[in-house]
Amino acid sequence: MASGPEIYVGNKGNQRTRDEQAYYGHCYSEAIKTLRKKTFDSSERGVPLEYFTWERIVIDECHETLVTGKQQETDAADFKAPARRGAREFLGVSQTDAASRPLVASAGVWGLTGTPLLETEARVTELANLMGGTYLTGAAHHWRKEERESGRDLFLNQQEGTRSREYRCAVQESSHLYVKEACQRNRGAKLQVKLNKHQEFVNMSAKEGDAFLNVIAACKLKGFSNSPDQLGENAHKALSVTANSKSRHAALLTTVNKIHEAECETKIIVFANTLYGGYDEARSALQVSGKKFCHISDNDTVHDQNETISWFRHVDATDDDRARPRILLLSYEQAAGHNLQEACHHVILYEPMYSGTDAVADASVEEQAIGRVMRQGQKYDVTVTRIVVKGPKGERCLDDWIVERNLDEDVLRAATSNFD
């Protein structure tokens, strides 16, 4: 499990925080019991959702709130502690009594995850348990360490070792059967469109090359062909140099121009990484070029954000639609939840996604970004262009390492939970 994101969502070893979350869950549960003792008139408004019994409940984006390591956290609302805690509560992870869960359903509760960060058998089993309404207990790593021991844990711990293992193996086997039958990713009709992948190679300037070499000199290394792992703690400094390369600026504008020369009215989605300054540099390049583009700011209201996204979600119907910008700049953190396949079929990855040593997590983010347009409902072939920066004379550099890592077949198989 050490190779993947922490399942404790930032609370590993922090008993005080876990105790506070457990107490929160207890107070919430007691408040729900009190609420459900009340009666409301059928015409009364403002009745809390927790009061009702629903036929089915579906909770989206569970992978972001439940399977996120500290290194992947951002200021986005769905990564904050209340959101993570809320998802656990809604799914009933902390409440073994189904009738006392915040949202009660007659048929069942489902958690949806499009690109779960599930690179191990144990992680898949955990998701199956979570979605299947069961819980794999007694494992060394499990969700309930966020909250408190369950009665089933206590029961198993009181059994003889052999009997306890039998129970656990039976639960795990059932969970894997559930995975095989019900937890398959994107099992809809096969897409009839092609995914065309291109790489735009550019060389950094001599000045940028000198800056790069000065950074890696601190690691007592030479040359441009060192991997991020070799650079260690200094990797972020070197990545900042490549992210800020003016050659990358030029490659972005060249790629946009080529696309619009062939399809003058087509809409383009550009993804960039915020961790090393790439997103700001991409925005700066577009601003300096004078090209009209849109981006989502944290200062925008939810209404403004939704309106901007809607321009790229639907095909143009009026002259006002056609007069709007053709380029949408998003950070990789904003890659989730947007269905842009109806109006867009061009994606530019301004730089490869790199957040640390977790290749599966980074590949998942890239796949999710591409999945904004390569999904059911797409009518045109999709083109994804990666901008890859090399050394001043075309030397192999950090981008090459990261792209090869993120496109490795085994990594992609784990990132997309394709265990067939």
Side-chain angles (χ1 to χ4, degrees):
M1 299 292 285
S3 64
E6 294 287 358
I7 65 172
Y8 302 111
V9 287
N11 290 333
K12 185 176 182 180
N14 190 336
Q15 185 61 45
R16 178 180 177 183
T17 303
R18 293 200 291 270
D19 288 344
E20 290 175 351
Q21 291 183 345
Y23 181 64
Y24 167 90
H26 168 73
C27 292
Y28 188 30
S29 178
E30 292 300 309
I32 290 172
K33 291 178 182 178
T34 302
L35 170 68
R36 288 175 180 159
K37 292 178 181 178
K38 297 183 178 181
T39 56
F40 296 92
D41 187 87
S42 59
S43 62
E44 191 164 348
R45 297 184 178 183
V47 180
L49 295 177
E50 292 90 339
Y51 177 76
F52 301 97
T53 297
W54 306 88
E55 179 64 22
R56 293 177 178 83
I57 297 170
V58 179
I59 302 169
D60 198 8
E61 303 295 354
C62 288
H63 59 284
E64 293 198 8
T65 54
L66 292 173
V67 190
T68 302
K70 203 168 185 179
Q71 66 270 26
Q72 279 91 34
E73 290 189 2
T74 69
D75 292 331
D78 52 3
F79 281 86
K80 293 182 179 178
R84 297 194 294 269
R85 183 166 59 240
R88 290 194 301 273
E89 294 289 346
F90 286 149
L91 287 169
V93 177
S94 62
Q95 180 56 263
T96 56
D97 179 12
S100 298
R101 291 174 180 170
L103 298 179
V104 178
S106 299
V109 179
W110 288 267
L112 301 184
T113 173
T115 52
L117 309 181
L118 305 173
E119 77 278 19
T120 65
E121 179 182 288
R123 198 67 63 77
V124 174
T125 303
E126 301 237 36
L127 181 66
N129 290 320
L130 201 60
M131 294 174 65
T134 63
Y135 178 63
L136 178 60
T137 58
H141 304 282
H142 60 93
W143 306 110
R144 281 297 298 277
K145 287 201 173 182
E146 276 281 343
E147 315 291 346
R148 56 195 179 277
E149 276 195 316
S150 69
R152 196 183 301 174
D153 285 333
L154 295 174
F155 167 76
L156 287 174
N157 290 336
Q158 295 300 315
Q159 305 299 311
E160 294 181 1
T162 302
R163 179 61 60 84
S164 180
R165 284 193 294 274
E166 288 178 357
Y167 283 132
R168 292 167 185 169
C169 289
V171 173
Q172 183 165 339
E173 183 179 357
S174 297
S175 298
H176 279 291
L177 288 174
Y178 177 83
V179 172
K180 185 177 181 180
E181 297 296 330
C183 192
Q184 298 296 314
R185 179 177 182 269
N186 292 339
R187 293 300 181 182
K190 185 176 181 181
L191 286 174
Q192 299 300 312
V193 298
K194 295 180 180 179
L195 176 60
N196 301 312
K197 298 181 179 181
H198 301 291
Q199 294 187 10
E200 186 74 20
F201 297 101
V202 292
N203 299 342
M204 66 178 71
S205 67
K207 183 178 180 180
E208 292 165 349
D210 291 339
F212 183 90
L213 294 176
N214 288 335
V215 169
I216 68 170
C219 305
K220 298 181 180 180
L221 297 171
K222 297 180 180 180
F224 294 91
S225 60
N226 300 288
S227 71
D229 291 342
Q230 289 176 297
L231 296 178
E233 295 180 354
N234 288 316
H236 72 282
K237 296 180 180 178
L239 287 166
S240 295
V241 174
T242 60
N244 298 337
S245 172
K246 300 303 179 185
S247 299
R248 201 185 292 274
H249 281 207
L252 172 61
L253 301 180
T254 298
T255 303
V256 168
N257 289 336
K258 285 182 179 179
I259 294 173
H260 279 156
E261 285 175 3
E263 305 174 55
C264 61
E265 294 187 353
T266 194
K267 298 175 183 178
I268 303 171
I269 312 299
V270 180
F271 284 99
N273 196 348
T274 60
L275 296 178
Y276 311 106
Y279 178 84
D280 290 336
E281 289 298 317
R283 183 174 58 185
S284 174
L286 291 170
Q287 288 173 336
V288 172
S289 71
K291 295 183 179 296
K292 294 182 179 180
F293 71 99
C294 296
H295 70 283
I296 305 299
S297 170
D298 292 337
N299 296 325
D300 294 339
T301 65
V302 174
H303 177 270
D304 290 340
Q305 293 181 15
N306 290 336
E307 184 178 24
T308 299
I309 292 296
S310 71
W311 296 345
F312 293 85
R313 184 176 291 138
H314 306 294
V315 296
D316 298 332
T318 66
D319 290 338
D320 288 341
D321 291 341
R322 285 181 279 273
R324 289 180 177 134
R326 303 286 96 185
I327 304 169
L328 174 62
L329 173 64
L330 296 173
S331 67
Y332 280 118
E333 288 83 356
Q334 296 167 332
H338 305 309
N339 299 321
L340 308 177
Q341 71 276 16
E342 182 180 339
C344 307
H345 59 278
H346 284 281
V347 175
I348 299 174
L349 303 184
Y350 184 71
E351 59 192 319
M353 177 63 195
Y354 183 84
S355 62
T357 57
D358 194 338
V360 173
D362 293 339
S364 294
V365 172
E366 287 191 352
E367 288 298 297
Q368 190 170 57
I370 296 170
R372 295 312 91 207
V373 299
M374 187 63 180
R375 60 194 301 120
Q376 295 296 334
Q378 179 58 258
K379 298 179 180 179
Y380 302 95
D381 291 347
V382 173
T383 300
V384 177
T385 304
R386 292 176 176 271
I387 298 176
V388 181
V389 171
K390 292 179 169 290
K393 297 181 180 179
E395 299 93 336
R396 178 180 174 84
C397 202
L398 293 179
D399 277 18
D400 294 286
W401 283 101
I402 299 170
V403 169
E404 288 179 8
R405 183 199 70 160
N406 291 358
L407 294 181
D408 178 81
E409 290 185 4
D410 291 336
V411 170
L412 285 175
R413 188 178 299 112
T416 56
S417 296
N418 182 7
F419 295 102
D420 291 343

